[in-house]
Amino acid sequence: MTPLEVPAPTIARLALYLRCLRACRREGVRTISSAGIGARTGISSGQIRKDLSYFGEFGRPGIGYAVDALLEHLSAIMGLNRPHTVVLVGAGNLGRALLGYPGFEESGFRIAAVFDNDPAKIGRSTVGRKILDMATLAEANKEIGAEFGMIATPASAAQEVADALVEAGVRGILNFAPAHLTVPETVTARNVDLTREIEVLCYFVGP
Amino acid sequence: MTPLEVPAPTIARLALYLRCLRACRREGVRTISSAGIGARTGISSGQIRKDLSYFGEFGRPGIGYAVDALLEHLSAIMGLNRPHTVVLVGAGNLGRALLGYPGFEESGFRIAAVFDNDPAKIGRSTVGRKILDMATLAEANKEIGAEFGMIATPASAAQEVADALVEAGVRGILNFAPAHLTVPETVTARNVDLTREIEVLCYFVGP
DNA sequence: TAGATTGTTAATCGATTAACAATC
DNA sequence: TAGATTGTTAATCGATTAACAATC
């Protein structure tokens, strides 16, 4: 069900197909071909069929894919057929934006609590959620039971926060701080680095 | 100077090396080996040397790399040895976070103006910047001369905004909306999709 | 000098693409 | 049936790794 030999780029594209299929469902499209998904995502139809083939046979030759069914299959493969709970660390600008970002909830990720270590912030509320003391993270997560942690702190604090999240029992970390994290093998960390993205864009734009 | 045969993953790593070298400089480290960069970034020393070799010879056998000099070289390669101007479209939650994010300025990207099409927002200020009418984008950018545009709108508006940015003369677009953009070949678009990132993380965390 | 480390080559590994028989 | 489209195979392409002579 989770074959190890699936290429990582395939998984990243699966999330794209999901997005496309959700849009199809909203639009009332019932059936779509790999070429149709390709037109909407910019990925070649062959690549799409190859990606799906790692997980099974979901389509019908001559017809295409049933949108609802493929959506169900891909959701299950990605682990998105059930809700997930997230704790957020860092109640600054970026943290507040993540709290207010509707996309997470729509994909089934609920940010259950926000933590910070700034005494000026602890106890206050932001985007409708109370800011809790970072020092209480492990204790609080016994109650919350979050699987995921998001780091929206300065880079200098990121590793320390990651350690605390691991200690608190999260199994996945989405790190928005521009820092390389070291985590145990039992935990998966993934980085989103805004500065890096615009720098890479700058290279490709050229002089 | 900008060989076309450089792999895209190499460019993404170059941004990582830059981040590492900036940290070294802050710490007063004058010289670093590829193994040293590897320890700080999680990338193998061989990969690092290979990546650098696409652009020249920057190190000395037995010694390593001069931090300042390599920083200069990589900055020039990435086009980061001069300031860049950005216009932001979308003054919602995410847009405000991008405005307040210090990392862009530190890398030389200045967000010169914010645009929105919501009459309730136009004319007001956010994070110290006045929100301008989206309809005036092309006209305003004759003055501003921004090379880059950032899209922080709902997905439904993203393509339309991208078209307007292209019309206004930007050459690179960083798109935070979960939508696939179609842009002319002369323009480079890059996506940052927060929902996608946590979905991919979810897959790798497993059940 | 001896030890460290680079730049580069060749070998390996992995991902994408092209093409088509099978199927609806 | 004829046309469309899948799933899969083999071929191609590209990126990473291992290894080492050259060099400081």
Side-chain angles (χ1 to χ4, degrees):
Chain A
M1 259 298 158
T2 311
L4 283 182
E5 73 276 10
V6 179
T10 290
I11 302 304
R13 285 189 296 266
L14 249 43
L16 225 50
Y17 306 154
L18 264 178
R19 190 166 89 185
C20 168
L21 291 165
R22 290 184 191 122
C24 287
R25 189 175 50 179
R26 268 197 307 278
E27 294 166 22
V29 175
R30 309 293 287 273
T31 296
I32 192 165
S33 66
S34 57
I37 300 175
R40 286 163 172 261
T41 59
I43 294 167
S44 75
S45 61
Q47 178 83 80
I48 292 165
R49 294 197 302 279
K50 177 83 189 178
D51 285 341
L52 297 178
S53 75
Y54 287 106
F55 300 97
E57 305 188 1
F58 306 115
R60 287 173 59 183
I63 309 291
Y65 302 89
V67 169
D68 277 345
L70 187 54
L71 196 44
E72 285 302 311
H73 279 300
L74 294 190
S75 292
I77 289 163
M78 300 289 285
L80 300 169
N81 51 350
R82 59 188 178 88
H84 298 278
T85 305
V86 179
V87 288
L88 170 68
V89 181
N93 251 310
L94 188 57
R96 285 195 301 275
L98 296 174
L99 272 181
Y101 187 70
F104 294 130
E105 196 83 41
E106 284 162 20
S107 282
F109 295 87
R110 197 174 67 87
I111 302 181
V114 202
F115 294 85
D116 206 300
N117 68 355
D118 179 353
K121 286 178 183 159
I122 294 167
R124 305 188 74 165
S125 282
T126 185
V127 200
R129 240 141 327 178
K130 201 166 221 180
I131 301 170
L132 305 179
D133 186 346
M134 187 59 200
T136 67
L137 172 60
E139 187 61 26
N141 203 38
K142 285 182 189 167
E143 186 95 357
I144 299 167
E147 272 176 284
F148 296 96
M150 288 187 191
I151 301 178
T153 67
S156 54
Q159 181 62 57
E160 190 183 347
V161 168
D163 295 342
L165 285 167
V166 170
E167 179 66 26
V170 310
R171 297 175 55 220
I173 295 175
L174 197 57
N175 174 35
F176 292 87
H180 170 70
L181 299 183
T182 304
V183 294
E185 278 182 19
T186 51
V187 174
T188 309
R190 205 173 159 81
N191 276 52
V192 179
D193 184 342
L194 303 183
T195 301
R196 190 178 170 191
E197 295 295 336
I198 201 163
E199 288 182 352
V200 171
L201 178 64
C202 189
Y203 174 88
F204 286 110
V205 163
Chain B
M1 262 299 159
T2 310
L4 283 184
E5 72 277 9
V6 178
T10 290
I11 302 303
R13 285 190 296 265
L14 248 44
L16 225 51
Y17 306 154
L18 265 178
R19 190 167 90 185
C20 169
L21 292 165
R22 290 184 190 120
C24 286
R25 188 175 52 179
R26 268 197 307 277
E27 295 167 21
V29 174
R30 311 293 286 275
T31 296
I32 192 166
S33 65
S34 57
I37 299 175
R40 287 163 172 261
T41 60
I43 294 167
S44 76
S45 60
Q47 178 83 79
I48 292 165
R49 294 196 302 278
K50 178 84 187 176
D51 285 341
L52 297 178
S53 75
Y54 287 105
F55 300 97
E57 305 188 359
F58 307 115
R60 287 172 59 183
I63 309 291
Y65 302 88
V67 169
D68 276 345
L70 187 54
L71 196 44
E72 285 304 311
H73 279 298
L74 294 189
S75 292
I77 290 163
M78 300 290 283
L80 300 168
N81 51 351
R82 59 188 179 88
H84 298 278
T85 304
V86 180
V87 289
L88 170 67
V89 181
N93 250 311
L94 188 57
R96 285 196 301 275
L98 296 174
L99 273 180
Y101 187 69
F104 295 131
E105 196 83 41
E106 285 163 19
S107 283
F109 296 86
R110 198 174 65 87
I111 302 180
V114 201
F115 295 84
D116 205 299
N117 68 354
D118 179 354
K121 286 178 182 162
I122 294 165
R124 305 188 73 167
S125 282
T126 184
V127 200
R129 241 144 322 183
K130 201 169 221 177
I131 301 170
L132 306 178
D133 187 346
M134 186 59 200
T136 67
L137 172 60
E139 186 62 25
N141 203 39
K142 285 182 190 166
E143 186 94 359
I144 298 168
E147 271 176 284
F148 296 96
M150 288 188 191
I151 301 179
T153 67
S156 54
Q159 182 62 57
E160 190 183 347
V161 168
D163 295 344
L165 285 167
V166 170
E167 179 67 27
V170 309
R171 298 176 53 222
I173 295 176
L174 197 56
N175 174 34
F176 291 88
H180 172 71
L181 299 182
T182 303
V183 293
E185 278 182 18
T186 51
V187 174
T188 309
R190 204 173 160 80
N191 276 50
V192 179
D193 183 344
L194 303 183
T195 301
R196 190 177 169 193
E197 295 294 337
I198 201 164
E199 289 182 352
V200 171
L201 178 65
C202 189
Y203 173 87
F204 285 111
V205 163

